[in-house]
Amino acid sequence: MNEATTEAPKLTAKDFASNQEVRWCPGCGDYAILKAVQKTLADVEAKTENTVFVSGIGCASRFPYYMATYGFHSIHGRAPAIATGIKLANPDLDVWIISGDGDALSIGGNHFVHLVRRNVDVQFLLFNNEIYGLTKGQFSPTSRVGTRSPSSPLGCIENPVSAVQLALGSGGHFVARAVDTAQKELTETLKRAHAFKGTSFVEIFQNCVVYNDGAFDAFTAKDKAADMQIHVEHGKPLIFGRERNKGLRIVSGALALEVVTIGENGVTEADILVHDETNRMLGCLLADMNEPEFPVAMGVLYCKPGHIFEVEIRKMVEAQTSHATTSLNDVLRQGHTWAVGGDADEA
Amino acid sequence: MTGSAIDNSRVSPVRQTLDSAVVRFSGDSGDGMQITGGQFTLATAVAQNNLSTFPDYPAEIRAPTGTTFGVSAFQINFGSRVIKTAGDEFDVLVAMNPAALKVELPGLKVGGILIVDSGSFQERNLHRAGYGADPLKDGSLEAYRVIEMDISTLTQDAVSAFGLSKKEALRCKNFWTLGYVYWMFDRDRQATIDWLKRKFASRPDIADANIAALNAGHALAETMETADGLQSYTVPHAPDIEPGLYRTVTGAEAMAWGLAVGSKLAALRLVFCSYPITPASPVLHTLSKMIEHDIVTFQAEDEIAAVCAAIGASYAGGLGVTSSSGPGISLKAEAIGLAVSSERPLVVINTQRAGPSTGLPTKTEQSDLLQALYGRNGECPLVVIAARSPSDCFEMAIEACHIATKYQTPVMVLSDGYISNASEPWLIPDVDAMEPFPTDLHQDGPCFDPSIRDAETLARPWAIPGTPCLEHRIGGLEKSFETGNISYDPANHQKMTDVRAAKVAGVVRDIPDQGVEAGPESGPVAVVGWGSTYGPINRAVSNLIDEGLSVSHIHVRNLWPLPANLGALLAGFDQVLVPEMNSGQFVKVLRDQYLIDAKGINKVMGQPFKIHELEDAIRAYWEAAQ
Ligand SMILES: Cc1ncc(C[n+]2csc(CCOP(=O)(O)OP(=O)(O)O)c2C)c(N)n1
Ligand code: SF4
């Protein structure tokens, strides 16, 4: 790649903003995510020329226009496939996929599964607002049962898909969750995602003020967040709550989690489970937690490196090309050939 | 078989000299007829005959044995004269079981040779094939010269020394039969023996058994000839073959190699993205074996992913190519529109099959032309070119790479199941002598200016991610001609639509003027074809010219844009006939573009045209015009 030879000044978050006017609805959660991503890129000292944002279609997918990097706003649901092609042609690029819940899990569900399964080295940010924003408010595959929308006036009867569980079930190696307005945690999670080699999947709860305002209030509202969210951190006990006195432990004799209160019923801090982000089963249990019985898990639920698709391909290509014994001319001449007007037949 | 001069130069046996012959091998899908045909092709090529083949697969991978829908056939037409089709009626039919006889007999010439394995004509097989009585016994084959042998038993006897199971022994039947046919046509067995040794390197017993079967069939033919005087033939070297090094090539191989060479000439890494589908998959298989040439192949999760990955690859500076057949091409339509809108190179290979929907996957048709030209949303013009023969796939693939990179535009290459599977001898080109066409990547400038377009090609500069200072955003939303930013301005949309159309229309500069393949440059009748109908049309027209008719053959390879002189050329003919393996798609385009009263000759049977069908149809028009 083209590396700048002179020492370039350090870029700030502003340097990652393009000159395009941002056109989301005032108050949309997308603004907060945009800000966090720009800050993350500055913090990790990303290069604008080496960074590519690829998106599908939806409100969220307008994101690349607002970044002063390379960007490809493609077609509905297909960003993972386009990103895979980009990485096949040039594995050195730093690729971010921006997608909505409809884009990623409905029309693009198939590509999502396969991107994650292949472990292509990209950051996949799913802006989950549990609704179709751009097409004016129809229910989405993450909408809860009962959601009333123009296409489900009597309430949605479909069971929602869990994005993080789908990512884990697809063999995901990095699965994390965050809230749009929780800037500090979001930025930290995005940095972890960026540092991870392989598909880093981050579900971001994003408030759509127009079509699904307050959808996540039950665990994101100021007065609820502390009690209804748990921020998981590798090696730290799974403690949460305003008073930091609630925790998760394994139900004795069963493969399940329960919420306990430290200081009640003889529970001490030593009883609380310590987060191990390399434990896939634990990741699944955390991903499965829903309010109101459980807090919603935020942060890196699971992280364990695996082999990376385009890296393996590149290794194979390099191994083969470095030992190449034939030219294209040879390929054309392999197998049985025969000469006409010349001498004997060749084999 | 044509020609009858007795060649007395050989002492024994006396072989009749032919200038061409058609042989069809048919049997159960498990009988190895494609391998048999492939080996016969090789031996025939080595004998320096011109040839053309037609592998005709059953639709079912493993149909119940002995059924008519499980019949697999391989046809070859070879000779010392120019061979352009796999031939119409067969001179020799090999039928390994009653079902094959039932299905294939109608294609055998009256007086033709029929070789049957009487060992497979038992009650059960006859019943499965739908025969009430044994056709070998009821006199229904009197019009043919029947060579009836218990090939099953003869093969088992021939291989008994190798300790194979009965099932394994019977598998050698096809090589026994091949040995027999080799003797009939004076073919050398060595290439096949070598092939068997290589193929079964890890099972030498199997290799040896097959070789023994081949030799036994050959030996028996020799003895039988002396016994009952059945004829044997010589087909001399084709005299008019251009000197050079040759091989046989299928359309799929030629397409794959053309893409590999095309991307090398463009100095780009080939990123080939596909999803398996019959009959397109062999292109993927061929390229997957070529990783040492820095070719990346990607088996995507579906066709949409395949085309999108190819677009992503081109966006990032590779040469993105995707390949499929009809149903898969339908799925790619939206993304092809994205490629048109984002103005990056993309090559789409469409190996057409019979449709609609899943249609007849193993059969051939030319019915995706209108889809290729018009089958997308919005005004979405595409460069469309069509290969006319197996070896022509090589050149068309290179042409597609050239146009796609030069004009920064998608190009669709039409092939079909027939030319993809068929093989023909190929004068192997020298890749090193070909003119490279490296693409200029946009490298410098203080910023990216999307309004820059090449004055001639109208191509936008190709600035790929990773290049400092040229960061920009593209996508499927309409963009301003001036700034490249999203634009809903009505006049701008008109302008961008016009520019995209003009860009594709401008490709005409790189298209040679349309020539005439056979016959005069103007006159009473022009037969206009495209794609794989080249062979049958050319032979039919040549035959009619030999009869004294004034007919011309025009074959169009560039379907969009059309060659600049095509309208004027067609205006010089009183009648324009357009044979197509569809219900009349190109004829619509010609009528639309040139306001001429072109007429279609159409066949939608999943089978290529036969020469006589075309001759009859053309003759009828010719006579009506007199
Ligand atoms: C092939 C296709 N089908 C449908 C659409 C219409 N469409 C555009 S965005 C969208 C849903 C967007 O929802 P989501 O992905 O959740 O993103 P959001 O707008 O909420 O950010 C739909 C259905 C389209 N553009 N393309
Ligand atoms: S519709 Fe919803 S998601 Fe879309 S921009 Fe407006 S607030 Fe954001």
Side-chain angles (χ1 to χ4, degrees), chain B residues 556-580:
Chain B
V556 184
R557 296 160 100 199
N558 294 87
L559 300 173
W560 201 265
L562 291 158
N565 68 327
L566 184 61
L569 180 65
L570 296 183
F573 292 90
D574 302 335
Q575 295 243 33
V576 173
L577 306 181
V578 187
E580 295 178 85

PDB file of all heavy atoms in Angstrom, chain B residues 556-580:
ATOM      1  N   VAL B 556     -22.840 -12.738 -35.492  1.00  0.00           N
ATOM      2  CA  VAL B 556     -22.575 -11.551 -34.680  1.00  0.00           C
ATOM      3  C   VAL B 556     -22.012 -11.970 -33.321  1.00  0.00           C
ATOM      4  O   VAL B 556     -22.623 -12.778 -32.616  1.00  0.00           O
ATOM      5  CB  VAL B 556     -23.870 -10.716 -34.496  1.00  0.00           C
ATOM      6  CG1 VAL B 556     -23.571  -9.430 -33.739  1.00  0.00           C
ATOM      7  CG2 VAL B 556     -24.492 -10.402 -35.848  1.00  0.00           C
ATOM      8  N   ARG B 557     -20.849 -11.451 -32.969  1.00  0.00           N
ATOM      9  CA  ARG B 557     -20.262 -11.762 -31.660  1.00  0.00           C
ATOM     10  C   ARG B 557     -20.506 -10.637 -30.675  1.00  0.00           C
ATOM     11  O   ARG B 557     -20.545 -10.855 -29.480  1.00  0.00           O
ATOM     12  CB  ARG B 557     -18.748 -11.967 -31.808  1.00  0.00           C
ATOM     13  CG  ARG B 557     -18.388 -13.164 -32.663  1.00  0.00           C
ATOM     14  CD  ARG B 557     -16.969 -13.013 -33.142  1.00  0.00           C
ATOM     15  NE  ARG B 557     -16.030 -13.799 -32.350  1.00  0.00           N
ATOM     16  CZ  ARG B 557     -14.725 -13.556 -32.330  1.00  0.00           C
ATOM     17  NH1 ARG B 557     -14.227 -12.553 -32.999  1.00  0.00           N
ATOM     18  NH2 ARG B 557     -13.925 -14.319 -31.627  1.00  0.00           N
ATOM     19  N   ASN B 558     -20.616  -9.416 -31.167  1.00  0.00           N
ATOM     20  CA  ASN B 558     -20.865  -8.275 -30.291  1.00  0.00           C
ATOM     21  C   ASN B 558     -22.343  -7.936 -30.346  1.00  0.00           C
ATOM     22  O   ASN B 558     -22.825  -7.382 -31.321  1.00  0.00           O
ATOM     23  CB  ASN B 558     -20.024  -7.082 -30.732  1.00  0.00           C
ATOM     24  CG  ASN B 558     -18.559  -7.362 -30.547  1.00  0.00           C
ATOM     25  OD1 ASN B 558     -17.905  -7.918 -31.423  1.00  0.00           O
ATOM     26  ND2 ASN B 558     -18.040  -7.030 -29.380  1.00  0.00           N
ATOM     27  N   LEU B 559     -23.057  -8.285 -29.283  1.00  0.00           N
ATOM     28  CA  LEU B 559     -24.515  -8.138 -29.295  1.00  0.00           C
ATOM     29  C   LEU B 559     -24.950  -6.788 -28.758  1.00  0.00           C
ATOM     30  O   LEU B 559     -26.039  -6.326 -29.044  1.00  0.00           O
ATOM     31  CB  LEU B 559     -25.139  -9.275 -28.492  1.00  0.00           C
ATOM     32  CG  LEU B 559     -24.795 -10.665 -29.051  1.00  0.00           C
ATOM     33  CD1 LEU B 559     -25.291 -11.758 -28.126  1.00  0.00           C
ATOM     34  CD2 LEU B 559     -25.377 -10.849 -30.450  1.00  0.00           C
ATOM     35  N   TRP B 560     -24.104  -6.171 -27.919  1.00  0.00           N
ATOM     36  CA  TRP B 560     -24.364  -4.792 -27.512  1.00  0.00           C
ATOM     37  C   TRP B 560     -23.088  -4.150 -27.058  1.00  0.00           C
ATOM     38  O   TRP B 560     -22.464  -4.677 -26.163  1.00  0.00           O
ATOM     39  CB  TRP B 560     -25.433  -4.710 -26.406  1.00  0.00           C
ATOM     40  CG  TRP B 560     -26.001  -3.327 -26.404  1.00  0.00           C
ATOM     41  CD1 TRP B 560     -25.609  -2.272 -25.615  1.00  0.00           C
ATOM     42  CD2 TRP B 560     -27.007  -2.831 -27.282  1.00  0.00           C
ATOM     43  NE1 TRP B 560     -26.316  -1.148 -25.955  1.00  0.00           N
ATOM     44  CE2 TRP B 560     -27.189  -1.466 -26.972  1.00  0.00           C
ATOM     45  CE3 TRP B 560     -27.763  -3.405 -28.319  1.00  0.00           C
ATOM     46  CZ2 TRP B 560     -28.106  -0.673 -27.657  1.00  0.00           C
ATOM     47  CZ3 TRP B 560     -28.673  -2.611 -28.987  1.00  0.00           C
ATOM     48  CH2 TRP B 560     -28.844  -1.255 -28.648  1.00  0.00           C
ATOM     49  N   PRO B 561     -22.684  -3.043 -27.634  1.00  0.00           N
ATOM     50  CA  PRO B 561     -23.297  -2.462 -28.818  1.00  0.00           C
ATOM     51  C   PRO B 561     -23.059  -3.360 -30.039  1.00  0.00           C
ATOM     52  O   PRO B 561     -22.122  -4.131 -30.065  1.00  0.00           O
ATOM     53  CB  PRO B 561     -22.560  -1.129 -28.981  1.00  0.00           C
ATOM     54  CG  PRO B 561     -21.252  -1.337 -28.305  1.00  0.00           C
ATOM     55  CD  PRO B 561     -21.496  -2.304 -27.196  1.00  0.00           C
ATOM     56  N   LEU B 562     -23.935  -3.201 -31.019  1.00  0.00           N
ATOM     57  CA  LEU B 562     -23.815  -3.965 -32.264  1.00  0.00           C
ATOM     58  C   LEU B 562     -22.741  -3.316 -33.142  1.00  0.00           C
ATOM     59  O   LEU B 562     -22.495  -2.111 -33.031  1.00  0.00           O
ATOM     60  CB  LEU B 562     -25.157  -3.977 -32.993  1.00  0.00           C
ATOM     61  CG  LEU B 562     -26.251  -4.792 -32.290  1.00  0.00           C
ATOM     62  CD1 LEU B 562     -27.635  -4.343 -32.741  1.00  0.00           C
ATOM     63  CD2 LEU B 562     -26.064  -6.286 -32.523  1.00  0.00           C
ATOM     64  N   PRO B 563     -22.105  -4.096 -33.992  1.00  0.00           N
ATOM     65  CA  PRO B 563     -21.081  -3.510 -34.861  1.00  0.00           C
ATOM     66  C   PRO B 563     -21.661  -2.342 -35.677  1.00  0.00           C
ATOM     67  O   PRO B 563     -22.821  -2.385 -36.105  1.00  0.00           O
ATOM     68  CB  PRO B 563     -20.691  -4.666 -35.789  1.00  0.00           C
ATOM     69  CG  PRO B 563     -21.061  -5.897 -35.037  1.00  0.00           C
ATOM     70  CD  PRO B 563     -22.267  -5.539 -34.211  1.00  0.00           C
ATOM     71  N   ALA B 564     -20.842  -1.333 -35.905  1.00  0.00           N
ATOM     72  CA  ALA B 564     -21.324  -0.092 -36.518  1.00  0.00           C
ATOM     73  C   ALA B 564     -21.927  -0.310 -37.904  1.00  0.00           C
ATOM     74  O   ALA B 564     -22.886   0.356 -38.282  1.00  0.00           O
ATOM     75  CB  ALA B 564     -20.166   0.908 -36.599  1.00  0.00           C
ATOM     76  N   ASN B 565     -21.391  -1.281 -38.656  1.00  0.00           N
ATOM     77  CA  ASN B 565     -21.839  -1.432 -40.039  1.00  0.00           C
ATOM     78  C   ASN B 565     -22.959  -2.462 -40.196  1.00  0.00           C
ATOM     79  O   ASN B 565     -23.380  -2.762 -41.308  1.00  0.00           O
ATOM     80  CB  ASN B 565     -20.654  -1.873 -40.917  1.00  0.00           C
ATOM     81  CG  ASN B 565     -20.200  -3.288 -40.565  1.00  0.00           C
ATOM     82  OD1 ASN B 565     -20.275  -3.690 -39.396  1.00  0.00           O
ATOM     83  ND2 ASN B 565     -19.757  -4.038 -41.554  1.00  0.00           N
ATOM     84  N   LEU B 566     -23.416  -3.036 -39.082  1.00  0.00           N
ATOM     85  CA  LEU B 566     -24.348  -4.165 -39.223  1.00  0.00           C
ATOM     86  C   LEU B 566     -25.633  -3.773 -39.949  1.00  0.00           C
ATOM     87  O   LEU B 566     -26.112  -4.499 -40.822  1.00  0.00           O
ATOM     88  CB  LEU B 566     -24.671  -4.779 -37.842  1.00  0.00           C
ATOM     89  CG  LEU B 566     -25.551  -6.023 -37.863  1.00  0.00           C
ATOM     90  CD1 LEU B 566     -24.891  -7.161 -38.640  1.00  0.00           C
ATOM     91  CD2 LEU B 566     -25.891  -6.485 -36.448  1.00  0.00           C
ATOM     92  N   GLY B 567     -26.182  -2.610 -39.600  1.00  0.00           N
ATOM     93  CA  GLY B 567     -27.431  -2.181 -40.235  1.00  0.00           C
ATOM     94  C   GLY B 567     -27.266  -2.066 -41.744  1.00  0.00           C
ATOM     95  O   GLY B 567     -28.101  -2.551 -42.521  1.00  0.00           O
ATOM     96  N   ALA B 568     -26.176  -1.426 -42.169  1.00  0.00           N
ATOM     97  CA  ALA B 568     -25.933  -1.239 -43.607  1.00  0.00           C
ATOM     98  C   ALA B 568     -25.722  -2.577 -44.293  1.00  0.00           C
ATOM     99  O   ALA B 568     -26.222  -2.816 -45.403  1.00  0.00           O
ATOM    100  CB  ALA B 568     -24.720  -0.339 -43.812  1.00  0.00           C
ATOM    101  N   LEU B 569     -25.009  -3.459 -43.624  1.00  0.00           N
ATOM    102  CA  LEU B 569     -24.744  -4.783 -44.198  1.00  0.00           C
ATOM    103  C   LEU B 569     -26.066  -5.536 -44.417  1.00  0.00           C
ATOM    104  O   LEU B 569     -26.322  -6.079 -45.499  1.00  0.00           O
ATOM    105  CB  LEU B 569     -23.826  -5.563 -43.251  1.00  0.00           C
ATOM    106  CG  LEU B 569     -23.424  -6.976 -43.664  1.00  0.00           C
ATOM    107  CD1 LEU B 569     -22.577  -6.948 -44.939  1.00  0.00           C
ATOM    108  CD2 LEU B 569     -22.636  -7.661 -42.547  1.00  0.00           C
ATOM    109  N   LEU B 570     -26.916  -5.539 -43.389  1.00  0.00           N
ATOM    110  CA  LEU B 570     -28.178  -6.283 -43.508  1.00  0.00           C
ATOM    111  C   LEU B 570     -29.093  -5.667 -44.557  1.00  0.00           C
ATOM    112  O   LEU B 570     -29.871  -6.368 -45.207  1.00  0.00           O
ATOM    113  CB  LEU B 570     -28.889  -6.344 -42.148  1.00  0.00           C
ATOM    114  CG  LEU B 570     -28.147  -7.105 -41.040  1.00  0.00           C
ATOM    115  CD1 LEU B 570     -28.981  -7.145 -39.771  1.00  0.00           C
ATOM    116  CD2 LEU B 570     -27.774  -8.515 -41.482  1.00  0.00           C
ATOM    117  N   ALA B 571     -28.978  -4.360 -44.734  1.00  0.00           N
ATOM    118  CA  ALA B 571     -29.828  -3.681 -45.733  1.00  0.00           C
ATOM    119  C   ALA B 571     -29.533  -4.177 -47.146  1.00  0.00           C
ATOM    120  O   ALA B 571     -30.354  -4.023 -48.045  1.00  0.00           O
ATOM    121  CB  ALA B 571     -29.626  -2.170 -45.633  1.00  0.00           C
ATOM    122  N   GLY B 572     -28.379  -4.802 -47.326  1.00  0.00           N
ATOM    123  CA  GLY B 572     -28.018  -5.306 -48.651  1.00  0.00           C
ATOM    124  C   GLY B 572     -28.631  -6.657 -48.981  1.00  0.00           C
ATOM    125  O   GLY B 572     -28.342  -7.224 -50.030  1.00  0.00           O
ATOM    126  N   PHE B 573     -29.438  -7.190 -48.089  1.00  0.00           N
ATOM    127  CA  PHE B 573     -30.070  -8.500 -48.342  1.00  0.00           C
ATOM    128  C   PHE B 573     -31.586  -8.355 -48.433  1.00  0.00           C
ATOM    129  O   PHE B 573     -32.184  -7.549 -47.734  1.00  0.00           O
ATOM    130  CB  PHE B 573     -29.710  -9.480 -47.224  1.00  0.00           C
ATOM    131  CG  PHE B 573     -28.259  -9.866 -47.229  1.00  0.00           C
ATOM    132  CD1 PHE B 573     -27.317  -9.129 -46.493  1.00  0.00           C
ATOM    133  CD2 PHE B 573     -27.808 -10.952 -47.980  1.00  0.00           C
ATOM    134  CE1 PHE B 573     -25.982  -9.475 -46.501  1.00  0.00           C
ATOM    135  CE2 PHE B 573     -26.466 -11.299 -47.991  1.00  0.00           C
ATOM    136  CZ  PHE B 573     -25.551 -10.554 -47.249  1.00  0.00           C
ATOM    137  N   ASP B 574     -32.175  -9.168 -49.312  1.00  0.00           N
ATOM    138  CA  ASP B 574     -33.638  -9.111 -49.462  1.00  0.00           C
ATOM    139  C   ASP B 574     -34.317  -9.723 -48.250  1.00  0.00           C
ATOM    140  O   ASP B 574     -35.365  -9.273 -47.796  1.00  0.00           O
ATOM    141  CB  ASP B 574     -34.079  -9.878 -50.710  1.00  0.00           C
ATOM    142  CG  ASP B 574     -33.421  -9.314 -51.969  1.00  0.00           C
ATOM    143  OD1 ASP B 574     -33.059  -8.109 -51.928  1.00  0.00           O
ATOM    144  OD2 ASP B 574     -33.247 -10.065 -52.945  1.00  0.00           O
ATOM    145  N   GLN B 575     -33.729 -10.813 -47.741  1.00  0.00           N
ATOM    146  CA  GLN B 575     -34.328 -11.514 -46.594  1.00  0.00           C
ATOM    147  C   GLN B 575     -33.276 -11.681 -45.523  1.00  0.00           C
ATOM    148  O   GLN B 575     -32.123 -12.016 -45.826  1.00  0.00           O
ATOM    149  CB  GLN B 575     -34.736 -12.935 -47.012  1.00  0.00           C
ATOM    150  CG  GLN B 575     -35.819 -12.969 -48.048  1.00  0.00           C
ATOM    151  CD  GLN B 575     -37.056 -13.644 -47.480  1.00  0.00           C
ATOM    152  OE1 GLN B 575     -37.346 -13.530 -46.276  1.00  0.00           O
ATOM    153  NE2 GLN B 575     -37.784 -14.349 -48.312  1.00  0.00           N
ATOM    154  N   VAL B 576     -33.684 -11.497 -44.292  1.00  0.00           N
ATOM    155  CA  VAL B 576     -32.779 -11.752 -43.174  1.00  0.00           C
ATOM    156  C   VAL B 576     -33.428 -12.818 -42.293  1.00  0.00           C
ATOM    157  O   VAL B 576     -34.538 -12.628 -41.779  1.00  0.00           O
ATOM    158  CB  VAL B 576     -32.515 -10.463 -42.363  1.00  0.00           C
ATOM    159  CG1 VAL B 576     -31.713 -10.783 -41.107  1.00  0.00           C
ATOM    160  CG2 VAL B 576     -31.783  -9.428 -43.217  1.00  0.00           C
ATOM    161  N   LEU B 577     -32.755 -13.956 -42.175  1.00  0.00           N
ATOM    162  CA  LEU B 577     -33.270 -15.058 -41.351  1.00  0.00           C
ATOM    163  C   LEU B 577     -32.390 -15.202 -40.123  1.00  0.00           C
ATOM    164  O   LEU B 577     -31.160 -15.134 -40.223  1.00  0.00           O
ATOM    165  CB  LEU B 577     -33.240 -16.375 -42.135  1.00  0.00           C
ATOM    166  CG  LEU B 577     -33.934 -16.368 -43.486  1.00  0.00           C
ATOM    167  CD1 LEU B 577     -33.839 -17.753 -44.139  1.00  0.00           C
ATOM    168  CD2 LEU B 577     -35.397 -15.952 -43.334  1.00  0.00           C
ATOM    169  N   VAL B 578     -33.025 -15.395 -38.976  1.00  0.00           N
ATOM    170  CA  VAL B 578     -32.264 -15.432 -37.732  1.00  0.00           C
ATOM    171  C   VAL B 578     -32.557 -16.727 -36.966  1.00  0.00           C
ATOM    172  O   VAL B 578     -33.542 -16.803 -36.233  1.00  0.00           O
ATOM    173  CB  VAL B 578     -32.597 -14.199 -36.855  1.00  0.00           C
ATOM    174  CG1 VAL B 578     -31.676 -14.152 -35.638  1.00  0.00           C
ATOM    175  CG2 VAL B 578     -32.472 -12.918 -37.667  1.00  0.00           C
ATOM    176  N   PRO B 579     -31.726 -17.753 -37.152  1.00  0.00           N
ATOM    177  CA  PRO B 579     -31.936 -18.980 -36.383  1.00  0.00           C
ATOM    178  C   PRO B 579     -31.433 -18.796 -34.949  1.00  0.00           C
ATOM    179  O   PRO B 579     -30.348 -18.285 -34.724  1.00  0.00           O
ATOM    180  CB  PRO B 579     -31.047 -20.023 -37.098  1.00  0.00           C
ATOM    181  CG  PRO B 579     -30.541 -19.347 -38.339  1.00  0.00           C
ATOM    182  CD  PRO B 579     -30.609 -17.880 -38.089  1.00  0.00           C
ATOM    183  N   GLU B 580     -32.260 -19.190 -33.986  1.00  0.00           N
ATOM    184  CA  GLU B 580     -31.871 -19.075 -32.577  1.00  0.00           C
ATOM    185  C   GLU B 580     -32.481 -20.219 -31.794  1.00  0.00           C
ATOM    186  O   GLU B 580     -33.592 -20.653 -32.096  1.00  0.00           O
ATOM    187  CB  GLU B 580     -32.413 -17.776 -31.961  1.00  0.00           C
ATOM    188  CG  GLU B 580     -31.858 -16.509 -32.522  1.00  0.00           C
ATOM    189  CD  GLU B 580     -32.508 -15.291 -31.856  1.00  0.00           C
ATOM    190  OE1 GLU B 580     -32.034 -14.891 -30.792  1.00  0.00           O
ATOM    191  OE2 GLU B 580     -33.492 -14.766 -32.412  1.00  0.00           O
TER     192      GLU B 580
END
